[in-house]
Amino acid sequence: MTEADRLQTALALLANDTVGANCPSRQILDQVTSRWGTLVLAALVAGPHRFSALRGRVAGISEKMLSQTLKQLVRAGLVDRDVQPTIPPQVTYSLTALGSDLAVPLCRLVSWLGQHTDELLAAQRAYDDAHA
């Protein structure tokens, strides 16, 4: 990121008071950038998933946590919950237009983390060694 990009981002954040404690976007930011929120959104980039398929795709998530995360993402307008009137009901989750728009930079973040994992872990080890 160039210095001009950093300045533009900082000005946008300050103009919208995004860093302020009372900014309404902070609650959604917490949901989207939580471990499970990010992984669920990233999994849905591949296309619609039923609950059980999504749980299998997001390794380590409990049913309760997946249910809570999906509820938050649906409420935020990022995920659509489509219920088919079958017995039992068939529920499919997919990204909304807003969710798809968010998925682009979010997937870039996830990709960046994957590319820099070794460097980040090395920095953590160096910090831990220096502060042991």
Side-chain angles (χ1 to χ4, degrees), residues 38-120:
T38 299
L39 294 175
V40 167
L41 289 169
L44 288 172
V45 168
H49 284 68
R50 291 187 60 194
F51 186 90
S52 59
L54 196 52
R55 183 164 181 241
R57 180 97 170 101
V58 182
I61 193 167
S62 69
E63 284 188 25
K64 178 183 177 184
M65 202 59 186
L66 179 56
S67 180
Q68 288 176 353
T69 301
L70 285 167
K71 196 175 288 187
Q72 291 172 341
L73 295 174
V74 167
R75 183 172 180 259
L78 300 171
V79 171
D80 181 54
R81 182 178 187 267
D82 180 42
V83 181
Q84 295 298 315
T86 58
I87 298 175
Q90 183 177 349
V91 182
T92 305
Y93 296 91
S94 59
L95 294 176
T96 62
L98 196 58
S100 292
D101 191 41
L102 172 63
V104 174
L106 188 63
C107 285
R108 272 193 245 131
L109 171 64
V110 171
S111 177
W112 184 91
L113 289 168
Q115 292 170 0
H116 296 282
T117 299
D118 292 340
E119 296 165 72
L120 295 165

